[in-house]
Amino acid sequence: MTIDHESVPRPGRPLSSPRRTATLDRPTGSAPARPAAAPGRHRRRLHSRVALPGGLVAADVAAAAGAAALTAPAAAHPLAAAALLLPVLVPLNLAGGLYRSRLTLSVLDEFPALAARAVVATAVVVTVGACLDGGSPALDPSGPRGALRLAALLAGMLLFTLLGRGFTYRLARRARRRRPSPVLVLGAGQLGQRIAAVLSERAEYGMRPVGFLDPDPVLLPPGSQLPVLGGREALHKVVRRHRIHHVVATEGATDEAETAASLRLAARLGCQVWLVPALREYSSVSRFPVDHLYGFPCLRLDRPALRRPTWLAKRALDIAAAGLGLLLISPVLAACALAVRFDTGPGVLFRQQRTGLDGKVFTVLKFRTLRPSNEHESATRWNISHDHRMGAVGHFLRKTSLDELPQLWNVLCGDMSLVGPRPERPYFVMRFGQAYPEYADRHRVPVGLTGLAQVNGLRGDTSIEDRARFDNRYIESWSLWQDAKILLRTAALMLHPDGS
């Protein structure tokens, strides 16, 4: 949990590709922009986005209840089996992505996954019921009749699931045709034009393309009805004006940095982002069945970490851990404060400006290990770990990372998190942002006491480019379990401090 620095940032390599030759901002004769939807219509569309997952859950509940009602013995309550199965079955289906809104709706594609989870849920409930007194006789497999009844329950549940989901998908297709959702196509190249044509011609996907987003578009074919609405700088305005719910990005539309920045901005604006890769082999990399748009593989990007429900649990963990930690280590804090007071004089806390979430500047707290000569040195001096002015107390605090403990107050106040990219001073944020295109992307989440880069050895005078890559990897693959792993690895590293 120590400050991480590199003496001199190495110049970054530009990622932009050469500009395409033909450009066109808006094709001649293109359709005028549609006015913004009325608030009531917008609310209906928002409701439609959650209608399909809710309908699938309802279909599974009805399937379990219907199967139990037909197969449960007269001595047991007809819904006893359903009440036992659903708390296991629904989470399994949720973890398997079986309640996700898909582009191509097919219950037969999902049937193997549904059947496997139904068998697992039934096995879990039967096992638990056998270990507890008063298990449900509806799920008692003992004897030939019990095994037959259990098999009938599974078969009935799968049959009702097929019927229920099939009916739900039929209603969803009808709703999609009646109220298509506006979609923005990122990239006006050949692949982007083909995707836009598919969305316009195939109403079952429920998407109505309103235009392309491309900072350097190719010449659109004659008769194209879709305009090029600008580059990334116009994304926010286009999303608000057209009430965009979906953004379909085509790989190879523009340079990598521009595409990544546009996708991240669209996700932060609340849009569901889809990526159509140029290589069809990408369709095998997802843990969920890959969607497709009329034969084109289509990868669904997860919501940003800050928009996931589990992020609230992360914040709750930060508050609980920081509050409890400050209370438990208060004797250690007092001892450190007294040591600093005798070593460097008055002013045991060192306050410094750091850059946090969305580039906002906050004041970080540390125990003072060195008294800088002036404010300019404090803001622009890169690494002081080997400064001859540092006393024995300062060296000990830095070596053991005890100088970072006051930052628990920053965590409690919400300026920081336990785990996240390490915060840096605004001066260096500006320099590194100019040298490394991905550096600014670290500020998509709150900064932290420790992070993925630090537990992988990227501390002290190490590569800024490597640290930015690890920080962005952490953000894009964030989970509560990943935070727990980083905290455990940090605790292990603190047992072997290196003073960096």
Side-chain angles (χ1 to χ4, degrees):
M1 295 191 293
T2 56
I3 302 293
D4 319 305
H5 302 299
E6 182 180 43
S7 55
V8 179
R10 295 189 288 273
R13 179 175 60 87
L15 300 179
S16 58
S17 59
R19 184 177 179 87
R20 293 193 286 259
T21 54
T23 61
L24 185 63
D25 290 336
R26 185 182 292 272
T28 305
S30 62
R34 298 175 181 265
R41 185 178 180 184
H42 181 50
R43 284 193 295 269
R44 287 195 299 271
R45 285 176 178 169
L46 288 177
H47 294 161
S48 67
R49 298 173 67 181
V50 299
L52 180 58
L56 294 177
V57 173
D60 287 350
V61 171
L70 292 179
T71 58
H77 194 280
L79 301 182
L84 293 173
L85 280 171
L86 290 176
V88 181
L89 180 63
V90 172
L92 285 176
N93 288 346
L94 182 64
L98 295 172
Y99 296 131
R100 295 162 65 97
S101 180
R102 297 174 55 82
L103 296 177
T104 303
L105 306 177
S106 173
V107 67
L108 293 180
D109 289 344
E110 300 170 346
F111 180 75
L114 290 169
R117 283 161 176 79
V119 172
V120 170
T122 305
V124 169
V125 172
V126 168
T127 303
V128 173
C131 297
L132 299 176
D133 293 334
S136 173
L139 292 176
D140 184 7
S142 58
R145 295 184 60 183
L148 183 62
R149 186 169 60 245
L150 196 60
L153 174 65
L154 278 172
M157 187 163 55
L158 291 177
L159 176 61
F160 281 114
T161 298
L162 289 176
L163 294 176
R165 285 187 169 239
F167 180 72
T168 303
Y169 285 157
R170 182 176 181 180
L171 294 180
R173 294 189 193 96
R174 184 177 302 175
R176 287 179 174 183
R177 290 188 176 93
R178 288 200 308 263
R179 293 188 300 272
S181 179
V183 61
L184 186 65
V185 180
L186 179 59
Q190 183 179 5
L191 181 57
Q193 295 174 28
R194 295 170 68 185
I195 293 299
V198 167
L199 294 176
S200 299
E201 296 168 2
R202 312 295 301 189
E204 65 267 22
Y205 295 114
M207 294 185 179
R208 173 179 56 83
V210 299
F212 298 101
L213 196 77
D214 198 324
D216 193 5
V218 297
L219 187 65
L220 296 179
S224 174
Q225 298 299 312
L226 294 180
V228 176
L229 301 175
R232 176 165 54 95
E233 69 283 350
L235 180 59
H236 190 275
K237 180 179 67 176
V238 170
V239 168
R240 294 186 60 183
R241 181 181 182 184
H242 295 277
R243 308 285 187 178
I244 300 296
H245 295 155
H246 298 270
V247 172
V248 179
T250 54
E251 194 177 44
T254 182
D255 63 87
E256 295 179 9
E258 184 72 18
T259 299
S262 298
L263 293 181
R264 290 165 180 167
L265 178 56
R268 296 199 66 176
L269 292 174
C271 300
Q272 175 59 63
V273 180
W274 305 84
L275 176 63
V276 180
L279 293 176
R280 297 181 182 274
E281 286 76 7
Y282 284 177
S283 61
S284 62
V285 302
S286 176
R287 63 190 179 102
F288 298 125
V290 174
D291 241 321
H292 70 89
L293 277 170
Y294 206 58
F296 292 99
C298 194
L299 306 177
R300 176 189 181 124
L301 273 62
D302 287 334
R303 288 184 294 176
L306 285 172
R307 288 184 170 269
R308 301 176 197 171
T310 47
W311 191 265
L312 296 176
K314 175 183 173 68
R315 179 56 188 152
L317 176 63
D318 286 343
I319 295 174
L324 183 61
L326 287 172
L327 182 63
L328 294 179
I329 67 172
S330 55
V332 178
L333 295 174
C336 291
L338 288 175
V340 172
R341 175 66 175 81
F342 285 114
D343 185 50
T344 61
V348 299
L349 287 179
F350 177 61
R351 293 173 172 83
Q352 194 176 63
Q353 298 295 302
R354 296 296 176 98
T355 301
L357 176 64
D358 293 331
K360 296 179 181 178
V361 177
F362 69 99
T363 301
V364 71
L365 301 177
K366 297 179 58 181
F367 282 124
R368 185 181 299 279
T369 56
L370 175 71
R371 190 175 296 276
S373 57
N374 51 54
E375 290 296 329
H376 182 265
E377 180 186 6
S378 173
T380 60
R381 178 75 181 272
W382 178 241
N383 198 335
I384 63 170
S385 60
H386 302 291
D387 196 297
H388 68 279
R389 295 172 295 172
M390 186 182 299
V393 172
H395 278 295
F396 176 77
L397 293 179
R398 288 185 60 84
K399 186 177 180 62
T400 57
S401 298
L402 292 175
D403 62 324
E404 309 282 356
L405 290 181
Q407 293 176 29
L408 287 173
W409 178 256
N410 292 111
V411 175
L412 194 61
C413 294
D415 296 325
M416 297 178 62
S417 176
L418 292 177
V419 182
R422 282 294 296 161
E424 192 48 80
R425 287 161 284 180
Y427 171 77
F428 290 105
V429 169
M430 178 187 66
R431 291 184 59 187
F432 297 154
Q434 293 172 350
Y436 306 103
E438 292 186 349
Y439 189 82
D441 296 330
R442 301 165 66 252
H443 300 121
R444 289 176 283 166
V445 297
V447 293
L449 289 176
T450 183
L452 185 63
Q454 284 65 49
V455 298
N456 279 279
L458 295 172
R459 310 162 64 203
D461 292 335
T462 54
S463 169
I464 298 297
E465 185 178 15
D466 290 345
R467 271 187 263 175
R469 182 168 62 253
F470 270 90
D471 287 336
N472 284 303
R473 167 63 183 169
Y474 163 77
I475 296 171
E476 289 151 8
S477 61
W478 176 82
S479 67
L480 287 174
W481 175 240
Q482 183 172 218
D483 277 8
K485 290 192 299 182
I486 292 174
L487 290 173
L488 290 174
R489 294 179 64 182
T490 299
L493 288 173
M494 290 184 67
L495 297 177
H496 304 280
D498 56 10
S500 61

